[in-house]
Amino acid sequence: MRLYDLDYKGCMSCMACKLKDKASNICRFKDNLTPILDDIAQADGLVLGSPIYFGTITGQMRAFLERLAFPWLSYNDYSLTAPKRMPVVLIETMNGTPDRNNSTGFGSMEWCITSALGEPQHIIAYNTCQVAQYDSYELGGFSEEAKHAWRDAHWAEDLQKAGNAGRQMAELITNNKH
């Protein structure tokens, strides 16, 4: 599911999830994100992926994570409680390389995910290709050849990391069901 295909807003602090005797750990604001949040509450695992823009996840991902995590926060004791714990994989894609990037990734939202759901696995795809033909865009700071060379050298490794994360998640889910 692509967040950009949905019409929704971030948390507006409407406090519907905090009403006495009606508190919920699922956002109660109704929009196109509602069925996704309901599905996540029932899910056995969660994979979240975002390109890194200006050193952090996209605004769409941040707005989604606010809606996901704010209902987990108790203003009584400041604990974070999701509907249930589950394995999580966080995926980042970026222009940076392992030795040259400014990414804070999922930032403070990762702490919320870890506290409420469990320690996530991380997959980072570096130096990604943004477009098919670099000469059609104002992207003179990038070498198309270098981008393709990086992809050719690291693509199999990135796919292996994703496959391993999927297998580990499936094993955790299967082991927790018994």
Side-chain angles (χ1 to χ4, degrees):
M1 181 258 324
R2 280 181 42 102
L3 294 176
Y4 284 107
D5 295 337
L6 302 175
D7 184 17
Y8 68 96
K9 294 178 176 26
C11 179
M12 296 173 285
S13 199
C14 70
M15 304 303 267
C17 63
K18 310 272 186 252
L19 287 169
K20 282 193 185 263
D21 302 322
K22 295 181 182 181
S24 172
N25 54 8
I26 302 171
C27 179
R28 292 292 126 218
F29 185 80
K30 302 294 182 207
D31 63 10
N32 288 342
L33 200 54
T34 303
I36 306 303
L37 297 172
D38 289 339
D39 286 349
I40 290 170
Q42 301 301 316
D44 293 322
L46 182 61
V47 177
L48 301 171
S50 178
I52 299 301
Y53 295 160
F54 296 100
T56 190
I57 56 176
T58 65
Q60 289 292 108
M61 179 59 78
R62 174 67 191 209
F64 164 78
L65 290 171
E66 289 172 358
R67 293 276 301 281
L68 180 68
F70 185 70
W72 301 343
L73 175 63
S74 167
Y75 278 142
N76 293 325
D77 62 6
Y78 297 100
S79 64
L80 286 159
T81 306
K84 65 181 183 178
R85 292 180 70 81
M86 65 183 72
V88 178
V89 176
L90 301 178
I91 303 170
E92 302 169 37
T93 63
M94 68 179 76
N95 279 320
T97 60
D99 59 330
R100 189 170 173 227
N101 73 76
N102 66 344
S103 176
T104 61
F106 283 76
S108 63
M109 296 310 296
E110 184 172 340
W111 178 83
C112 295
I113 290 166
T114 301
S115 297
L117 299 176
E119 186 70 35
Q121 293 183 68
H122 292 89
I123 299 172
I124 302 174
Y126 293 102
N127 205 17
T128 56
C129 294
Q130 303 110 305
V131 296
Q133 293 182 312
Y134 277 71
D135 59 356
S136 297
Y137 298 89
E138 294 290 337
L139 297 171
F142 299 105
S143 162
E144 182 174 357
E145 293 76 24
K147 288 278 194 181
H148 287 266
W150 179 279
R151 185 188 58 205
D152 292 346
H154 294 90
W155 182 251
E157 178 185 348
D158 289 343
L159 288 178
Q160 185 67 43
K161 288 178 190 174
N164 290 342
R167 276 188 289 286
Q168 289 172 358
M169 180 179 282
E171 288 171 10
L172 287 169
I173 292 168
T174 301
N175 292 338
N176 286 334
K177 292 220 180 219
H178 297 288

